[in-house]
Amino acid sequence: AAAAGCPTPPARQTHSNTQALRCPRRPLRRDKMLESSENRKFMLYSKRADQEPREPKKPKEIGFRFLQLQVGDEVPDFRADSTVGEFGYHDMIDGVWSVLVTFPPDAEAVATTEMGQLSKLHREFEARNCRLMGVSCASKEQHRAWIEAVEEIEDCSVSFPLISDPEAVIGAKLGLVKQDWETWGPAPVHALVPSTLVILCDIDKRVKATWQHPTTCGRNFYEVLRTLDACQLALFHQVATPANWLQGRDVYVAPRLTKVA
C-alpha cells in the first residue's frame, strides 16, 4: 500500500496500450506509387472506352508495285498489245517453256545488239520448245521502227513478239518500278529501275531462273540457253549439273533419287 500523502505513480503502460496510443501508419512510398499507377491505368482505360473505335491504318497505295519474282513463283499474267497483236501472256506460254526479256524504253545501242543476238538464237529456243518474247515501255509504232533498225544494223530477222508497255504496268508486275514511284512522276513509267530482266519459266508457268543486269551491260543469251538445257535435263531425268556445264557433258544423279528409283 502506498504511504499516506505520497502521490500515486502512474499506471505502467502495457504493450496493448502502447499499440493503441501510436499514430496510424503512414502509407509507404511504394504503396503510393502502386495506387497512383492503378489510377492512371483506370483513367487510361476509361478514356479508351469513351472513345469511338478507330479503323486500322491502311498501308499507302503504291500503284502496281509487286515483290521481286522468286524461283518457284508463278509468273504474273497480263494482257497487252504487241507487234503481232493483242494477247494474254498466260495463253501464249501455256504448255511450253518461255523466256521473257525486258528492254529499256529507249532504243539504245546495247539493247539493239541484244535484239539482234536474240533474233539469231530464236530457232535454238524454238527447238527446245521454248517461246521467246520481249517487252519494252514503248508504243507499238516505236517498236516497229526499232525492229527495222535492228534488222538493218544486226543483219537479222526479228520474228518474236515485242510487247508494248507504255504505262509500265507489266514492268511493275515484274518488280521493275521503284516503290516510291509517286515521288518520281505522275505514272510508274517515270520510276523504272535502270535495269533489264530475263525470266525463264517452265511448262507450268513457274519461274526457274531470273537474270537482272544494268542497262549498260549487254546480256549473254548463251547462258540463258545453257540454263534452259540444264533445267529441262533436271526435270526429265532427275539429275543435277555441275558448274560451267554444257550440253553433252557429265552430270550428277540428284541426291534425292534413291537406288530403288
Side-chain angles (χ1 to χ4, degrees):
C6 293
T8 304
R12 193 171 184 177
Q13 296 180 353
T14 61
H15 179 71
S16 59
N17 294 337
T18 304
Q19 293 292 340
L21 294 175
R22 284 181 181 177
C23 296
R25 184 177 66 88
R26 295 181 179 180
L28 297 176
R29 181 177 179 83
R30 183 175 63 85
D31 297 336
K32 287 185 176 181
M33 293 175 62
L34 291 174
E35 183 179 357
S36 176
S37 176
E38 292 298 329
N39 290 338
R40 286 198 301 269
K41 289 181 180 179
F42 176 77
M43 293 174 63
L44 180 61
Y45 294 149
S46 300
K47 186 177 180 181
R48 288 179 178 175
D50 295 339
Q51 293 177 349
E52 295 181 359
R54 296 180 179 179
E55 295 183 359
K57 293 183 178 180
K58 296 182 179 179
K60 184 179 178 182
E61 295 293 336
I62 53 176
F64 312 97
R65 175 68 178 182
F66 284 76
L67 295 177
Q68 187 73 24
L69 287 174
Q70 302 293 328
V71 172
D73 293 345
E74 185 181 60
V75 66
D77 189 19
F78 53 84
R79 188 165 190 86
D81 200 3
S82 72
T83 52
V84 297
E86 186 176 347
F87 58 82
Y89 186 62
H90 276 193
D91 295 335
M92 286 289 286
I93 63 174
D94 189 29
V96 297
W97 292 70
S98 63
V99 171
L100 182 64
V101 184
T102 70
F103 295 98
D106 301 325
E108 300 175 350
V110 175
T112 300
T113 61
E114 291 177 336
M115 279 282 289
Q117 186 65 31
L118 273 176
S119 300
K120 296 172 183 177
L121 293 176
H122 188 200
R123 289 185 179 180
E124 295 290 337
F125 285 99
E126 286 186 335
R128 292 162 172 81
N129 191 31
C130 182
R131 189 152 294 165
L132 183 63
M133 279 179 278
V135 58
S136 172
C137 294
S139 65
K140 184 166 60 174
E141 291 71 20
Q142 291 173 322
H143 281 167
R144 286 174 176 169
W146 184 32
I147 288 175
E148 291 180 3
V150 169
E151 291 178 342
E152 181 180 355
I153 296 172
E154 295 294 322
D155 190 20
C156 62
S157 176
V158 179
S159 55
F160 60 88
L162 194 56
I163 301 169
S164 179
D165 184 29
E167 299 297 329
V169 176
I170 302 171
K173 287 186 176 184
L174 302 178
L176 294 177
V177 173
K178 297 179 181 179
Q179 188 169 358
D180 56 344
W181 64 268
E182 293 176 338
T183 63
W184 293 78
V189 70
H190 299 284
L192 284 171
V193 178
S195 65
T196 55
L197 184 66
V198 179
I199 304 173
L200 170 64
C201 295
D202 60 13
I203 56 178
D204 295 321
K205 308 179 185 70
R206 298 287 176 180
V207 177
K208 299 298 290 185
T210 61
W211 296 264
Q212 191 169 11
H213 292 75
T215 55
T216 55
C217 177
R219 290 164 284 185
N220 183 359
F221 295 106
Y222 285 103
E223 172 62 19
V224 180
L225 274 175
R226 190 192 74 87
T227 306
L228 175 60
D229 289 335
C231 290
Q232 290 182 341
L233 195 65
L235 177 64
F236 298 124
H237 299 283
Q238 300 296 310
V239 295
T241 53
N244 300 326
W245 174 85
L246 293 174
Q247 189 72 266
R249 293 187 179 180
D250 294 339
V251 297
Y252 295 109
V253 176
R256 63 181 179 275
L257 197 63
T258 62
K259 293 182 179 180
V260 177

